[in-house]
Amino acid sequence: MIDLSHLRADFPILHQQVNGQPLVYFDNAASSQKPRAVIDSLVHYYENDNANVHRGLHALSNRATDAFELARDKVARFIGAGSPDELIFTRGTTESINLVANIWASEFLKPGDIILYTGMEHHSNLVPWQLAAQKSGASVKHIPVLEDGTLDLENIDALLTEQVKLFTCVHVSNSLGTINPVKELCTKCRVLGINTLIDGAQAVGHMSVNVQDIGCDFYVFSGHKMCAPTGIGGLYGRAEVLAKMPPWHGGGEMINLVTLETSTYKAAPARFEAGTPDIAGVIGLGAAIDYLETIGIDRIHEHGAALTRYAMQRLTELPGIRILGPTTADRGSLTAFHLACAHPHDLVEFANTHGLALRGGHHCTQPLMKRFQIPGSSRASFYFYNTSTEIDRMMEILHRAVTFFS
Amino acid sequence: MIDLSHLRADFPILHQQVNGQPLVYFDNAASSQKPRAVIDSLVHYYENDNANVHRGLHALSNRATDAFELARDKVARFIGAGSPDELIFTRGTTESINLVANIWASEFLKPGDIILYTGMEHHSNLVPWQLAAQKSGASVKHIPVLEDGTLDLENIDALLTEQVKLFTCVHVSNSLGTINPVKELCTKCRVLGINTLIDGAQAVGHMSVNVQDIGCDFYVFSGHKMCAPTGIGGLYGRAEVLAKMPPWHGGGEMINLVTLETSTYKAAPARFEAGTPDIAGVIGLGAAIDYLETIGIDRIHEHGAALTRYAMQRLTELPGIRILGPTTADRGSLTAFHLACAHPHDLVEFANTHGLALRGGHHCTQPLMKRFQIPGSSRASFYFYNTSTEIDRMMEILHRAVTFFS
Amino acid sequence: MPLSEDLKELYQKVILDHSRSPRNQGQFSADSCVHIHSDNPSCGDEIDLYIRFNEDGSISDIKFEGQGCAISQASASMMTEKVKGIPRQEVLQLIQDLQHTVLGNGEVRSSGTLGELQLLEGIQKFPQRIKCALLGWRGLERALYSAKLT
Amino acid sequence: MPLSEDLKELYQKVILDHSRSPRNQGQFSADSCVHIHSDNPSCGDEIDLYIRFNEDGSISDIKFEGQGCAISQASASMMTEKVKGIPRQEVLQLIQDLQHTVLGNGEVRSSGTLGELQLLEGIQKFPQRIKCALLGWRGLERALYSAKLT
Ligand SMILES: Cc1ncc(COP(=O)(O)O)c(C=O)c1O
Ligand SMILES: Cc1ncc(COP(=O)(O)O)c(C=O)c1O
């Protein structure tokens, strides 16, 4: 396992005690921690350059605008977009999906059409489509999940009927750790003229992502899960598809000409970014990418995979444990499990009193819990600053929990 | 004029040179600067408490959630909401308006209905209604603006017909400085059963605002204009009206139960806050309110009014100047003007080379520029950290500009 | 006292015992009882209460089924043991006392009447678990108000 | 050199003169010319070009009307003085040279041919004004491509 423990020094928050024990933060899939470099980028912005972007002709406004657009270039390049104009800034994955489910759907979805998602989607990639279907008279269908936590793709060709107008799928499952074959699926869809949206919330910043290689029409992600500030994320949209979409919010910066009766609109990305954006957030996202790139995204992925393998191997020590998701080597850097003796909430509460931050519950994937007939699961999710020593500590605590609850 | 110049020490950004001259920042209506206390609140959050809210059972998540909801209480109290449940966090004014123009409108707007706005609205309070009207078959109408920059309310009773379902109006105009009689207008509308939305982007943080006293159904504002971070703002919605509105974005935190076919939703505010919110932004907004309250909102208003009076008086020195907006004492803390000898962009460029940050252009109020038959205006907008000495400096620079361009 | 001690206190033998072997599990036939479903979808806890009322509004019998964390299930189990046979007014008072105990606010009329339930006091240190502890009780309260009274 | 000096350079007498007294103002009757409207709504600048072409595609006469900042109006005014009578190919080349000059990239074929327009070089220091300087020129480019050629 490569040793990245020196990077812990970059994260002030990690060096604290929780309930008298050193903090072990294994809730990275919910939100990652932020390195000094990202925090500093915010401070620097507010202490030196803060002003509204795009609209001023004064020095601060120009500096803020330059930093803002530089970050757009960076993010676009980081995910392999063809051009910065294909990158729209949003609050995060959820807003990105809702944008598409509102705007793309309002233009392209007709009664009788089908939106195809999977049984392992996050609520954020289910509810918006259900709402869009209700509005348009379309319906939703899903690809089932197999017992091993992978998609049941045996009947995929039969599922991709002419009625299917959009296929959407999580890149890396936040509840199972499954990495889905998004490239193969998007290739199939492209041939059939089906638009595609990939939920990359657990992928970007954890593994190398190239949207052009994947061949999707939309790709969405959240900054706060990849070392960036809260409140910022992105929507990649293929230029050709974005060009056909009507505006989203109305307001400043997205218009050309406004009269008291009607208005005309700019092209993407401005068309979809009405109002003052989260300027500091965007700059912080750029700083996060700079930071991740100094480590190297492939090393981050490798380290996460190794930690996960080690954790999954050690978890089998626990009596009555059921580990969810695939047991193959290529997984997202998280593992979820269920202990017979303790409900996830009791277990997570116990862990917390020992300084260990786990997550327990449905992880915003209620249908998946139902499918596996469990009320919820406990999840340990890792990032590059986590270590195998921390996993040993987790095991110590989980062993104690088993004794406590049995 | 009260002296608040000691507060400048709280704002690191103000102590810099721009183009070899001390910065004079008069673009506060576009975005305000941030005090050390707000910047520190972000740093403290990321260095100590950062985690996703609402979903964890571990210490960081609980701390983050507590800080997040404490800020909601603070903001709700600051604007006089009846309960924290009436406050929805958004990216800012523009998103808040679009939420209402989408969700309220989808429920309440029918063909033939009328949305009544005014001739001095920001694009953010025009375009969303135009889009909503297009979708619903309703239409838009406006209250004209008089030569003195106030609303033409002579025919208001005739305008408020039975077809009018929503009336919306800017509280303080960002282009004219007019303070509109929103309480009187909302009272009239309430009697007639017309819903009301007030755009408080230039009011909150500049003067005392009490939404219950105003009697509006919706009130919207942006944090970045009142010392808070970029990317955060609010929507006040009266409980009774919010309760009738369908969900906005679909996703985590706004749902009760999700299946692969359909879902049920929580009540406000969660119903309208899908996905991970801008946690640090919300906490920063709370810190901004704490800071503003140590100064006292009435003193802030008084100081802004005094600065504006002084600026307007001195501006009359300039040959060929046309000052927009009311000349009455009770105004927003900004003044916009047009010089015969120089286009606003040339003037603002000139000012910038002398360290003075003004704004030139249409200020996102194109219809208002048309009404006054000017291509745009130059605007000086103040906040409590500005001083009369800075206004003297502005005058020096503007006098030079007149010489330069004449 | 470190939080891990508090935790031990919270999950005392009694509570763990109730959660592992819940009392009064099961249901009555639909026409002979009031059935109230309570859930907390955000954590998946569920309680189904089946209650038979006497003419005077007191509870003649009560059963429950449910799933969820130890706190929610134990609290419901303890509740079913406590409320059988006592007058309606007293049950309402008990619900209020229990809420005050769990929330650590208001005044408990007489902690003596709570008995074993007093153990749930430990929840105060774990505010995010309060809704678990109250899930069954909120259902009971609704049942009391929905039961036709003579 | 402080930016205020750069600014003086940008707004040199020549440019201020053109913006105050624009050359070739006005229009031709609609059927005798190509009319192209260009605007930049974000700053309110507008240029209406009226162009008469010779059979060989060269410009026989050109007028403009507009409103906006000194840079946009002066640049358009200078353009109208420059392009009359010269061959189409050379006008296209001139447009390119001017763009390179303003953007400070690419190579200017021969700065000699730019003459007075060389003054617009100062824009490089004020990147947010580039679209003002190019507004009229972008309109001219569109006119050249839309004019029916024989
Ligand atoms: C797979 C997946 N999709 C969507 C989301 C929602 O992201 P956000 O809450 O940042 O909008 C998450 C994270 O919670 C996730 O893990
Ligand atoms: C009156 C008014 N309304 C709306 C807005 C839009 O605010 P934001 O860009 O923060 O969404 C502004 C500021 O630009 C404003 O001044």
Side-chain angles (χ1 to χ4, degrees):
Chain A
M1 201 179 307
I2 37 175
D3 183 8
L4 296 177
S5 61
H6 60 283
L7 297 172
R8 294 178 67 81
D10 299 337
F11 291 79
I13 200 171
L14 296 178
H15 312 284
Q16 68 176 292
Q17 306 259 315
V18 164
N19 295 321
Q21 306 286 335
L23 167 66
V24 174
Y25 186 76
F26 280 177
D27 194 17
N28 292 288
S31 202
S32 81
Q33 297 305 341
K34 324 301 174 200
R36 169 81 53 211
V38 168
I39 302 173
D40 284 351
S41 75
L42 301 177
V43 173
H44 182 274
Y45 169 73
Y46 285 128
E47 290 192 350
N48 294 278
D49 306 329
N50 175 66
N52 213 324
V53 289
H54 296 310
R55 310 182 194 165
L57 286 168
H58 57 78
L60 298 190
S61 177
N62 290 330
R63 276 188 243 151
T65 305
D66 287 351
F68 183 83
E69 291 302 334
L70 186 70
R72 193 194 301 275
D73 294 351
K74 246 180 238 176
V75 180
R77 194 182 30 66
F78 189 65
I79 61 165
S83 140
D85 290 345
E86 296 182 319
L87 186 82
I88 296 155
F89 287 120
T90 65
R91 184 164 36 245
T93 304
T94 302
E95 189 182 21
S96 296
I97 295 171
N98 278 277
L99 193 163
V100 179
N102 272 276
I103 298 310
W104 174 88
S106 77
E107 190 69 19
F108 292 106
L109 222 48
K110 306 272 167 301
D113 286 349
I114 291 172
I115 299 154
L116 183 67
Y117 46 51
T118 87
M120 65 168 84
E121 298 309 310
H122 189 279
H123 293 164
S124 289
N125 204 25
L126 293 173
V127 184
W129 303 113
Q130 295 174 355
L131 293 170
Q134 274 166 33
K135 271 184 220 157
S136 61
S139 59
V140 291
K141 260 200 171 162
H142 70 276
I143 302 179
V145 176
L146 295 171
E147 198 56 29
D148 71 353
T150 62
L151 291 175
D152 179 359
L153 295 175
E154 216 182 339
N155 301 314
I156 180 71
D157 292 317
L159 276 172
L160 292 174
T161 59
E162 230 176 86
Q163 283 75 49
V164 176
K165 289 290 155 1
L166 185 117
F167 166 70
T168 181
C169 176
V170 68
H171 195 165
V172 177
S173 159
N174 66 310
S175 289
L176 300 169
T178 320
I179 301 182
N180 287 311
V182 291
K183 182 175 177 173
E184 288 72 5
L185 290 164
C186 289
T187 307
K188 259 188 204 305
C189 289
R190 180 68 70 88
V191 172
L192 297 167
I194 298 169
N195 280 137
T196 48
L197 181 147
I198 303 300
D199 173 357
Q202 299 293 342
V204 179
H206 282 262
M207 56 194 271
S208 169
V209 168
N210 186 305
V211 293
Q212 289 186 85
D213 181 56
I214 293 169
C216 53
D217 294 302
F218 301 104
Y219 194 99
V220 301
F221 61 97
S222 298
H224 70 94
K225 295 182 197 279
M226 49 178 285
C227 291
T230 59
I232 193 69
L235 162 64
Y236 158 81
R238 208 153 55 79
E240 211 183 305
V241 185
L242 287 184
K244 290 182 202 146
M245 282 161 56
W248 164 232
H249 293 170
E253 278 317 306
M254 56 72 75
I255 54 92
N256 269 325
L257 205 69
V258 177
T259 72
L260 286 169
E261 292 75 34
T262 184
S263 306
T264 60
Y265 314 109
K266 290 200 179 124
R271 182 190 201 83
F272 305 106
E273 290 180 352
T276 304
D278 183 1
I279 307 164
V282 166
I283 290 169
L285 177 56
I289 288 175
D290 286 342
Y291 179 79
L292 295 175
E293 290 192 327
T294 62
I295 308 170
I297 196 71
D298 290 331
R299 287 174 78 210
I300 291 172
H301 181 48
E302 192 186 322
H303 182 68
L307 280 180
T308 308
R309 274 194 303 276
Y310 180 60
M312 289 176 74
Q313 173 212 317
R314 288 223 47 196
L315 280 171
T316 57
E317 293 168 12
L318 300 171
I321 196 165
R322 176 172 171 201
I323 300 179
L324 302 175
T327 48
T328 48
D330 201 26
R331 285 176 46 98
S333 48
L334 60 90
T335 174
F337 52 91
H338 188 63
L339 279 175
C341 66
H343 185 277
H345 286 170
D346 298 314
L347 188 69
V348 169
E349 191 83 78
F350 185 93
N352 180 51
T353 60
H354 295 78
L356 168 63
L358 296 177
R359 257 253 271 174
H362 53 60
H363 313 294
C364 292
T365 53
Q366 288 177 359
L368 199 60
M369 299 301 107
K370 207 167 162 194
R371 182 230 166 284
F372 286 109
Q373 293 179 291
I374 45 175
S377 75
S378 304
R379 182 182 71 187
S381 55
F382 315 113
Y383 213 6
F384 54 85
Y385 41 69
N386 291 126
T387 66
S388 58
T389 318
E390 288 183 308
I391 290 176
D392 293 336
R393 172 84 186 127
M394 169 177 84
M395 290 309 302
E396 217 179 292
I397 296 167
L398 292 180
H399 276 293
R400 278 208 236 173
V402 169
T403 313
F404 185 85
F405 287 109
S406 296
Chain B
M1 204 178 307
I2 37 176
D3 184 7
L4 296 177
S5 60
H6 59 285
L7 298 172
R8 296 177 66 81
D10 299 338
F11 291 80
I13 201 172
L14 296 178
H15 312 284
Q16 69 176 288
Q17 306 259 316
V18 164
N19 295 321
Q21 307 285 335
L23 167 66
V24 174
Y25 186 76
F26 280 176
D27 194 18
N28 292 287
S31 202
S32 82
Q33 297 305 342
K34 323 301 175 201
R36 169 81 55 210
V38 168
I39 302 173
D40 284 351
S41 75
L42 301 178
V43 173
H44 182 272
Y45 169 72
Y46 286 126
E47 291 192 350
N48 294 279
D49 306 329
N50 176 65
N52 214 324
V53 290
H54 296 310
R55 308 181 195 167
L57 286 168
H58 57 77
L60 299 189
S61 178
N62 290 329
R63 275 188 243 150
T65 305
D66 288 350
F68 183 82
E69 291 302 333
L70 186 70
R72 193 194 301 276
D73 295 351
K74 243 181 240 176
V75 180
R77 194 183 30 67
F78 189 66
I79 61 165
S83 142
D85 290 345
E86 296 182 320
L87 186 81
I88 297 155
F89 287 120
T90 65
R91 185 167 31 248
T93 304
T94 302
E95 189 182 20
S96 296
I97 296 171
N98 278 277
L99 192 163
V100 179
N102 272 274
I103 298 309
W104 173 89
S106 77
E107 190 68 19
F108 292 107
L109 224 49
K110 308 270 166 306
D113 287 349
I114 291 171
I115 298 155
L116 184 66
Y117 45 50
T118 87
M120 62 170 84
E121 298 309 311
H122 189 279
H123 293 164
S124 289
N125 204 26
L126 294 173
V127 183
W129 304 113
Q130 296 174 354
L131 292 170
Q134 274 165 33
K135 271 184 220 157
S136 62
S139 60
V140 292
K141 261 201 168 160
H142 70 276
I143 302 179
V145 176
L146 295 171
E147 198 57 31
D148 71 353
T150 63
L151 291 176
D152 179 0
L153 295 174
E154 214 180 344
N155 300 314
I156 181 69
D157 292 316
L159 276 172
L160 292 174
T161 60
E162 229 176 87
Q163 282 74 50
V164 176
K165 288 291 157 1
L166 184 118
F167 166 70
T168 181
C169 175
V170 68
H171 195 166
V172 177
S173 159
N174 67 310
S175 289
L176 300 168
T178 319
I179 301 181
N180 286 310
V182 290
K183 181 175 177 172
E184 287 72 5
L185 289 165
C186 288
T187 306
K188 257 189 207 303
C189 288
R190 180 67 70 87
V191 172
L192 298 168
I194 298 168
N195 280 138
T196 48
L197 182 149
I198 303 301
D199 172 356
Q202 299 294 341
V204 180
H206 281 262
M207 56 195 271
S208 169
V209 168
N210 186 305
V211 293
Q212 290 187 83
D213 181 56
I214 292 170
C216 52
D217 294 301
F218 301 105
Y219 194 98
V220 300
F221 61 97
S222 298
H224 70 92
K225 295 182 197 277
M226 50 180 282
C227 290
T230 58
I232 193 68
L235 163 64
Y236 158 81
R238 210 152 56 79
E240 211 183 305
V241 185
L242 287 184
K244 291 183 203 146
M245 281 162 55
W248 163 231
H249 293 171
E253 280 315 307
M254 56 73 74
I255 53 92
N256 269 325
L257 205 68
V258 177
T259 71
L260 285 168
E261 292 76 35
T262 182
S263 306
T264 61
Y265 314 108
K266 289 199 181 127
R271 181 190 202 84
F272 305 106
E273 289 181 352
T276 304
D278 182 1
I279 308 165
V282 166
I283 290 169
L285 177 56
I289 287 175
D290 287 342
Y291 179 80
L292 294 175
E293 289 191 328
T294 62
I295 308 171
I297 198 69
D298 290 329
R299 287 173 79 208
I300 291 172
H301 181 49
E302 192 187 322
H303 183 67
L307 280 180
T308 308
R309 274 194 302 276
Y310 180 60
M312 288 176 75
Q313 174 212 317
R314 288 222 48 196
L315 281 171
T316 57
E317 292 168 12
L318 299 171
I321 196 166
R322 174 169 172 204
I323 300 179
L324 302 176
T327 47
T328 48
D330 201 25
R331 285 176 46 99
S333 50
L334 61 90
T335 175
F337 52 91
H338 188 62
L339 279 176
C341 66
H343 186 276
H345 286 169
D346 297 315
L347 188 69
V348 169
E349 192 83 78
F350 184 92
N352 180 52
T353 60
H354 294 78
L356 168 63
L358 295 177
R359 258 256 268 172
H362 54 60
H363 313 293
C364 292
T365 53
Q366 287 177 0
L368 199 61
M369 299 300 108
K370 207 167 161 194
R371 182 231 167 284
F372 286 108
Q373 293 179 291
I374 45 176
S377 75
S378 304
R379 181 182 73 188
S381 55
F382 316 113
Y383 213 7
F384 54 85
Y385 41 69
N386 291 125
T387 65
S388 57
T389 318
E390 288 183 308
I391 290 176
D392 293 336
R393 173 80 186 131
M394 169 177 84
M395 290 309 302
E396 217 178 293
I397 296 166
L398 291 181
H399 276 293
R400 279 209 236 172
V402 170
T403 312
F404 184 84
F405 287 109
S406 295
Chain C
M1 192 160 58
L3 201 56
S4 60
E5 288 304 309
D6 288 329
L7 187 82
K8 272 194 200 136
E9 207 171 82
L10 172 63
Y11 288 103
Q12 299 163 76
K13 276 224 165 63
V14 187
I15 291 180
L16 283 178
D17 177 55
H18 271 278
S19 87
R20 284 190 206 115
S21 335
R23 322 296 196 264
N24 299 308
Q25 279 235 295
Q27 35 177 290
F28 304 120
S29 66
D31 56 344
S32 70
C33 73
V34 173
H35 169 208
I36 294 275
H37 172 87
S38 310
D39 61 18
N40 184 346
S42 79
C43 57
D45 290 348
E46 292 183 25
I47 302 278
D48 281 280
L49 287 178
Y50 302 89
I51 309 177
R52 283 184 172 150
F53 286 99
N54 294 319
E55 297 260 301
D56 64 357
S58 66
I59 293 167
S60 75
D61 209 353
I62 179 166
K63 283 181 189 282
F64 87 104
E65 288 180 332
Q67 60 167 354
C69 66
I71 308 295
S72 66
Q73 303 305 305
S75 177
S77 169
M78 291 158 83
M79 177 180 84
T80 59
E81 284 207 310
K82 189 80 194 174
V83 298
K84 231 180 281 183
I86 57 174
R88 182 176 186 276
Q89 236 359 79
E90 259 179 60
V91 178
L92 285 170
Q93 186 60 52
L94 188 71
I95 294 173
Q96 214 169 353
D97 284 351
L98 191 274
Q99 283 186 3
H100 289 161
T101 303
V102 163
L103 293 165
N105 65 13
E107 211 185 311
V108 176
R109 202 188 32 158
S110 143
S111 57
T113 60
L114 283 172
E116 226 177 53
L117 288 167
Q118 189 67 37
L119 296 171
L120 289 169
E121 196 177 37
I123 298 279
Q124 287 175 26
K125 296 247 173 48
F126 301 87
Q128 63 284 8
R129 307 303 295 279
I130 288 170
K131 56 186 186 319
C132 310
L134 294 180
L135 187 62
W137 294 87
R138 297 239 152 104
L140 179 63
E141 195 170 20
R142 277 191 293 141
L144 286 176
Y145 285 113
S146 69
K148 282 172 228 86
L149 294 177
T150 40
Chain D
M1 192 159 62
L3 201 58
S4 60
E5 287 305 308
D6 287 329
L7 187 83
K8 272 194 197 134
E9 207 171 83
L10 173 63
Y11 288 103
Q12 297 162 79
K13 277 227 163 61
V14 186
I15 291 181
L16 283 178
D17 177 54
H18 270 278
S19 88
R20 285 192 205 112
S21 336
R23 321 296 196 260
N24 299 308
Q25 278 236 294
Q27 36 178 291
F28 303 120
S29 64
D31 57 344
S32 70
C33 73
V34 173
H35 168 209
I36 295 275
H37 172 85
S38 310
D39 60 19
N40 184 346
S42 79
C43 57
D45 290 348
E46 293 184 23
I47 302 278
D48 282 280
L49 287 179
Y50 302 88
I51 310 176
R52 282 184 173 149
F53 286 99
N54 292 321
E55 298 259 304
D56 64 359
S58 67
I59 293 168
S60 76
D61 208 354
I62 178 166
K63 282 183 189 278
F64 87 104
E65 289 181 333
Q67 61 168 353
C69 67
I71 308 295
S72 66
Q73 303 306 306
S75 177
S77 169
M78 290 158 83
M79 177 180 84
T80 59
E81 284 207 312
K82 190 80 194 171
V83 298
K84 231 180 283 185
I86 57 175
R88 182 173 185 277
Q89 236 0 80
E90 259 181 60
V91 178
L92 285 170
Q93 186 60 54
L94 188 70
I95 294 173
Q96 216 171 354
D97 285 351
L98 192 273
Q99 283 186 3
H100 289 161
T101 302
V102 163
L103 293 165
N105 66 13
E107 211 186 312
V108 175
R109 203 189 32 158
S110 142
S111 58
T113 60
L114 282 172
E116 224 175 55
L117 288 167
Q118 189 66 38
L119 296 172
L120 290 169
E121 196 176 37
I123 297 279
Q124 287 175 28
K125 295 246 174 51
F126 301 87
Q128 63 284 9
R129 308 302 296 276
I130 288 170
K131 56 187 185 320
C132 309
L134 294 180
L135 187 62
W137 294 85
R138 297 237 151 105
L140 178 63
E141 196 170 20
R142 277 191 293 139
L144 286 176
Y145 285 113
S146 70
K148 282 171 230 87
L149 294 178
T150 38

